[in-house]
Amino acid sequence: MRDAIERIAGGAWLGASLTMFGACAAAPTEPGVAVVMVEYREAHEEWRQNRIAALRRPEGWLTLIGLHWLRAGSSSFGSGVDNDLVIPELQSLADRPSTLGDLVLEGSRVTLEPSPGSQITTAAAPETVVADRLLLASDHPGGPTELRAGSLSFQILERGGELGVRFRDLESPRPAELGAIPAFALDPKWRFAARFEKAPDHRMVPIPNILGRTYDQPSVGSVVFEHAGETYRLDVIGDDPAESLLLVVGDPTNSVTTYGGGRYLAVEVGADGAVDLDFNRLYNPPCVFTEFATCPLPPPQNRLPFAIEAGEQAYATAAH
């Protein structure tokens, strides 16, 4: 779940100004409406810039170079082709052993056994080399143990009880090569004054993912909105309405003008249960940019019957 959720930019004025957008067509020259539209466009542009900046971070999706699921027992890893987990050759590892160490899976525990000379450190203590066996935390629950060796960064992830390791190159050139992400023109008609409906405590919903697996995910409730005289309910992923929740949404534009695996939307729930549901902020899942992500796909109840011509469009990575 943590892989998919990104916080979005916005302003406190958004919820208060929803009713003004309905007057735009009837009174396009009204000064107040014009001001709100300018603010809305500026806030949306700020969100788009923050979105690109997040993708370009060294810790973003573009620097991933590997994802391996661990088997019980010991798995060697390094640049040598005889390792169980082979890391693409990185210049920063040229003076390191071809085997950096072993990752040992015992039940639900993963430990690192570093090879002599590997000079592996943790992000939390970058000046201290890991010399002995180290128990690693996964990304669920809480934050993972992030390990470093030169520009290589790696950590343990957990998905539905399966444990794996994800590698990234913090000096990858790919972030700088990211092109503009095409998007539909900003249109306030795709913004809805929605409401949040809380689900029974500890509700879990089955969510499929790009790897062909289905995992039960916590869903604290649903976002409810009206469109063309019909009521729609979308299940969120997340267990705390006080934090950003994730909507994984599908619609008929998928595989036509947008990514075939649906799109994501981060939503915030107000103290009164109000939700500013703005489909202009639908964004592409990480799997659009890397093969080393575990993206959730839209569950059946989140596949809308109408085309949402708003938000990010398909991004052809091969063309950028």
PDB file of all heavy atoms in Angstrom, residues 3 43 62 72 78 106 115 157 164 212 220 264 267 276 278 282 286 290 316 318:
ATOM      1  N   ASP A   3       3.585   1.760  -1.393  1.00  0.00           N
ATOM      2  CA  ASP A   3       4.170   2.053  -2.679  1.00  0.00           C
ATOM      3  C   ASP A   3       3.287   2.989  -3.488  1.00  0.00           C
ATOM      4  O   ASP A   3       3.775   3.732  -4.325  1.00  0.00           O
ATOM      5  CB  ASP A   3       4.361   0.763  -3.473  1.00  0.00           C
ATOM      6  CG  ASP A   3       5.536  -0.019  -2.956  1.00  0.00           C
ATOM      7  OD1 ASP A   3       6.311   0.556  -2.201  1.00  0.00           O
ATOM      8  OD2 ASP A   3       5.655  -1.193  -3.303  1.00  0.00           O
ATOM      9  N   ALA A  43      -3.093  26.167  -8.338  1.00  0.00           N
ATOM     10  CA  ALA A  43      -2.922  25.060  -7.401  1.00  0.00           C
ATOM     11  C   ALA A  43      -2.713  23.748  -8.151  1.00  0.00           C
ATOM     12  O   ALA A  43      -1.909  22.903  -7.741  1.00  0.00           O
ATOM     13  CB  ALA A  43      -4.134  24.951  -6.470  1.00  0.00           C
ATOM     14  N   LEU A  62      11.785   5.969 -10.449  1.00  0.00           N
ATOM     15  CA  LEU A  62      12.616   5.870 -11.646  1.00  0.00           C
ATOM     16  C   LEU A  62      13.993   5.283 -11.390  1.00  0.00           C
ATOM     17  O   LEU A  62      14.689   4.893 -12.335  1.00  0.00           O
ATOM     18  CB  LEU A  62      12.762   7.254 -12.284  1.00  0.00           C
ATOM     19  CG  LEU A  62      11.455   7.859 -12.812  1.00  0.00           C
ATOM     20  CD1 LEU A  62      11.672   9.302 -13.226  1.00  0.00           C
ATOM     21  CD2 LEU A  62      10.908   7.045 -13.976  1.00  0.00           C
ATOM     22  N   ALA A  72      12.850 -19.380   1.005  1.00  0.00           N
ATOM     23  CA  ALA A  72      13.335 -19.762   2.331  1.00  0.00           C
ATOM     24  C   ALA A  72      14.810 -20.130   2.256  1.00  0.00           C
ATOM     25  O   ALA A  72      15.271 -20.764   1.304  1.00  0.00           O
ATOM     26  CB  ALA A  72      12.528 -20.942   2.872  1.00  0.00           C
ATOM     27  N   GLY A  78      24.646  -9.679  -5.472  1.00  0.00           N
ATOM     28  CA  GLY A  78      25.800  -8.910  -5.902  1.00  0.00           C
ATOM     29  C   GLY A  78      25.846  -8.845  -7.412  1.00  0.00           C
ATOM     30  O   GLY A  78      24.931  -9.319  -8.105  1.00  0.00           O
ATOM     31  N   GLU A 106      13.987 -16.670   7.124  1.00  0.00           N
ATOM     32  CA  GLU A 106      13.595 -17.712   8.079  1.00  0.00           C
ATOM     33  C   GLU A 106      12.217 -17.347   8.615  1.00  0.00           C
ATOM     34  O   GLU A 106      12.090 -16.435   9.427  1.00  0.00           O
ATOM     35  CB  GLU A 106      14.608 -17.791   9.222  1.00  0.00           C
ATOM     36  CG  GLU A 106      16.015 -18.164   8.761  1.00  0.00           C
ATOM     37  CD  GLU A 106      17.046 -18.054   9.877  1.00  0.00           C
ATOM     38  OE1 GLU A 106      17.152 -16.968  10.481  1.00  0.00           O
ATOM     39  OE2 GLU A 106      17.732 -19.054  10.142  1.00  0.00           O
ATOM     40  N   SER A 115      29.174  -9.763   3.187  1.00  0.00           N
ATOM     41  CA  SER A 115      30.461 -10.355   2.841  1.00  0.00           C
ATOM     42  C   SER A 115      31.581  -9.412   3.290  1.00  0.00           C
ATOM     43  O   SER A 115      31.391  -8.189   3.338  1.00  0.00           O
ATOM     44  CB  SER A 115      30.567 -10.566   1.326  1.00  0.00           C
ATOM     45  OG  SER A 115      29.608 -11.490   0.878  1.00  0.00           O
ATOM     46  N   LEU A 157      10.637  -5.648   1.203  1.00  0.00           N
ATOM     47  CA  LEU A 157       9.227  -5.311   1.122  1.00  0.00           C
ATOM     48  C   LEU A 157       8.387  -6.550   1.384  1.00  0.00           C
ATOM     49  O   LEU A 157       8.842  -7.683   1.161  1.00  0.00           O
ATOM     50  CB  LEU A 157       8.864  -4.697  -0.225  1.00  0.00           C
ATOM     51  CG  LEU A 157       8.925  -5.545  -1.485  1.00  0.00           C
ATOM     52  CD1 LEU A 157       8.035  -4.925  -2.562  1.00  0.00           C
ATOM     53  CD2 LEU A 157      10.345  -5.639  -2.009  1.00  0.00           C
ATOM     54  N   GLY A 164      10.295  -9.795  -0.231  1.00  0.00           N
ATOM     55  CA  GLY A 164      11.199  -9.614  -1.351  1.00  0.00           C
ATOM     56  C   GLY A 164      12.185  -8.508  -1.056  1.00  0.00           C
ATOM     57  O   GLY A 164      12.138  -7.858   0.000  1.00  0.00           O
ATOM     58  N   GLY A 212      -0.399 -10.277 -10.737  1.00  0.00           N
ATOM     59  CA  GLY A 212      -1.347 -11.375 -10.867  1.00  0.00           C
ATOM     60  C   GLY A 212      -1.796 -11.950  -9.537  1.00  0.00           C
ATOM     61  O   GLY A 212      -2.473 -12.973  -9.502  1.00  0.00           O
ATOM     62  N   VAL A 220     -10.868   1.519   5.070  1.00  0.00           N
ATOM     63  CA  VAL A 220     -11.581   2.154   6.171  1.00  0.00           C
ATOM     64  C   VAL A 220     -12.945   2.693   5.757  1.00  0.00           C
ATOM     65  O   VAL A 220     -13.756   3.060   6.595  1.00  0.00           O
ATOM     66  CB  VAL A 220     -10.702   3.281   6.773  1.00  0.00           C
ATOM     67  CG1 VAL A 220     -10.647   4.472   5.832  1.00  0.00           C
ATOM     68  CG2 VAL A 220     -11.173   3.674   8.167  1.00  0.00           C
ATOM     69  N   TYR A 264      -4.583   6.281 -10.154  1.00  0.00           N
ATOM     70  CA  TYR A 264      -4.677   6.484  -8.709  1.00  0.00           C
ATOM     71  C   TYR A 264      -5.121   7.903  -8.388  1.00  0.00           C
ATOM     72  O   TYR A 264      -4.908   8.841  -9.169  1.00  0.00           O
ATOM     73  CB  TYR A 264      -3.324   6.249  -8.046  1.00  0.00           C
ATOM     74  CG  TYR A 264      -2.802   4.828  -8.108  1.00  0.00           C
ATOM     75  CD1 TYR A 264      -1.503   4.534  -7.702  1.00  0.00           C
ATOM     76  CD2 TYR A 264      -3.591   3.776  -8.573  1.00  0.00           C
ATOM     77  CE1 TYR A 264      -1.008   3.244  -7.743  1.00  0.00           C
ATOM     78  CE2 TYR A 264      -3.108   2.484  -8.619  1.00  0.00           C
ATOM     79  CZ  TYR A 264      -1.809   2.223  -8.209  1.00  0.00           C
ATOM     80  OH  TYR A 264      -1.320   0.938  -8.256  1.00  0.00           O
ATOM     81  N   VAL A 267      -6.808  10.995  -1.686  1.00  0.00           N
ATOM     82  CA  VAL A 267      -7.913  11.814  -1.169  1.00  0.00           C
ATOM     83  C   VAL A 267      -7.707  12.087   0.315  1.00  0.00           C
ATOM     84  O   VAL A 267      -7.129  11.279   1.045  1.00  0.00           O
ATOM     85  CB  VAL A 267      -9.283  11.135  -1.399  1.00  0.00           C
ATOM     86  CG1 VAL A 267      -9.586  10.994  -2.875  1.00  0.00           C
ATOM     87  CG2 VAL A 267      -9.349   9.773  -0.720  1.00  0.00           C
ATOM     88  N   ASP A 276     -13.046  16.393  -1.202  1.00  0.00           N
ATOM     89  CA  ASP A 276     -12.888  17.133  -2.455  1.00  0.00           C
ATOM     90  C   ASP A 276     -12.357  16.145  -3.494  1.00  0.00           C
ATOM     91  O   ASP A 276     -11.165  15.895  -3.574  1.00  0.00           O
ATOM     92  CB  ASP A 276     -11.923  18.298  -2.240  1.00  0.00           C
ATOM     93  CG  ASP A 276     -11.687  19.111  -3.511  1.00  0.00           C
ATOM     94  OD1 ASP A 276     -12.460  18.947  -4.466  1.00  0.00           O
ATOM     95  OD2 ASP A 276     -10.721  19.893  -3.535  1.00  0.00           O
ATOM     96  N   ASP A 278     -11.362  15.276  -6.887  1.00  0.00           N
ATOM     97  CA  ASP A 278     -10.968  15.961  -8.109  1.00  0.00           C
ATOM     98  C   ASP A 278     -10.254  14.985  -9.039  1.00  0.00           C
ATOM     99  O   ASP A 278      -9.075  14.686  -8.877  1.00  0.00           O
ATOM    100  CB  ASP A 278     -10.048  17.143  -7.769  1.00  0.00           C
ATOM    101  CG  ASP A 278      -9.842  18.063  -8.955  1.00  0.00           C
ATOM    102  OD1 ASP A 278     -10.213  17.671 -10.083  1.00  0.00           O
ATOM    103  OD2 ASP A 278      -9.315  19.176  -8.760  1.00  0.00           O
ATOM    104  N   LEU A 282      -6.061  12.562 -11.046  1.00  0.00           N
ATOM    105  CA  LEU A 282      -5.764  11.148 -11.270  1.00  0.00           C
ATOM    106  C   LEU A 282      -4.354  11.031 -11.844  1.00  0.00           C
ATOM    107  O   LEU A 282      -3.989  11.760 -12.769  1.00  0.00           O
ATOM    108  CB  LEU A 282      -6.764  10.541 -12.253  1.00  0.00           C
ATOM    109  CG  LEU A 282      -8.154  10.193 -11.716  1.00  0.00           C
ATOM    110  CD1 LEU A 282      -9.102   9.895 -12.866  1.00  0.00           C
ATOM    111  CD2 LEU A 282      -8.089   9.014 -10.764  1.00  0.00           C
ATOM    112  N   PRO A 286       2.897   3.664 -10.393  1.00  0.00           N
ATOM    113  CA  PRO A 286       4.348   3.494 -10.591  1.00  0.00           C
ATOM    114  C   PRO A 286       4.696   2.513 -11.699  1.00  0.00           C
ATOM    115  O   PRO A 286       5.736   2.652 -12.349  1.00  0.00           O
ATOM    116  CB  PRO A 286       4.822   2.993  -9.226  1.00  0.00           C
ATOM    117  CG  PRO A 286       3.823   3.504  -8.258  1.00  0.00           C
ATOM    118  CD  PRO A 286       2.516   3.482  -8.981  1.00  0.00           C
ATOM    119  N   THR A 290       8.137   1.870 -14.137  1.00  0.00           N
ATOM    120  CA  THR A 290       9.105   0.842 -13.776  1.00  0.00           C
ATOM    121  C   THR A 290       8.439  -0.520 -13.743  1.00  0.00           C
ATOM    122  O   THR A 290       7.245  -0.638 -13.417  1.00  0.00           O
ATOM    123  CB  THR A 290       9.736   1.128 -12.394  1.00  0.00           C
ATOM    124  OG1 THR A 290      10.631   0.056 -12.050  1.00  0.00           O
ATOM    125  CG2 THR A 290       8.675   1.246 -11.312  1.00  0.00           C
ATOM    126  N   ALA A 316       4.292   6.905 -22.591  1.00  0.00           N
ATOM    127  CA  ALA A 316       5.096   5.897 -23.295  1.00  0.00           C
ATOM    128  C   ALA A 316       6.545   6.037 -22.870  1.00  0.00           C
ATOM    129  O   ALA A 316       7.259   6.921 -23.332  1.00  0.00           O
ATOM    130  CB  ALA A 316       4.963   6.084 -24.805  1.00  0.00           C
ATOM    131  N   ALA A 318       9.111   4.280 -23.494  1.00  0.00           N
ATOM    132  CA  ALA A 318      10.089   4.027 -24.551  1.00  0.00           C
ATOM    133  C   ALA A 318      10.355   5.266 -25.391  1.00  0.00           C
ATOM    134  O   ALA A 318      11.383   5.381 -26.054  1.00  0.00           O
ATOM    135  CB  ALA A 318       9.618   2.899 -25.453  1.00  0.00           C
TER     136      ALA A 318
END
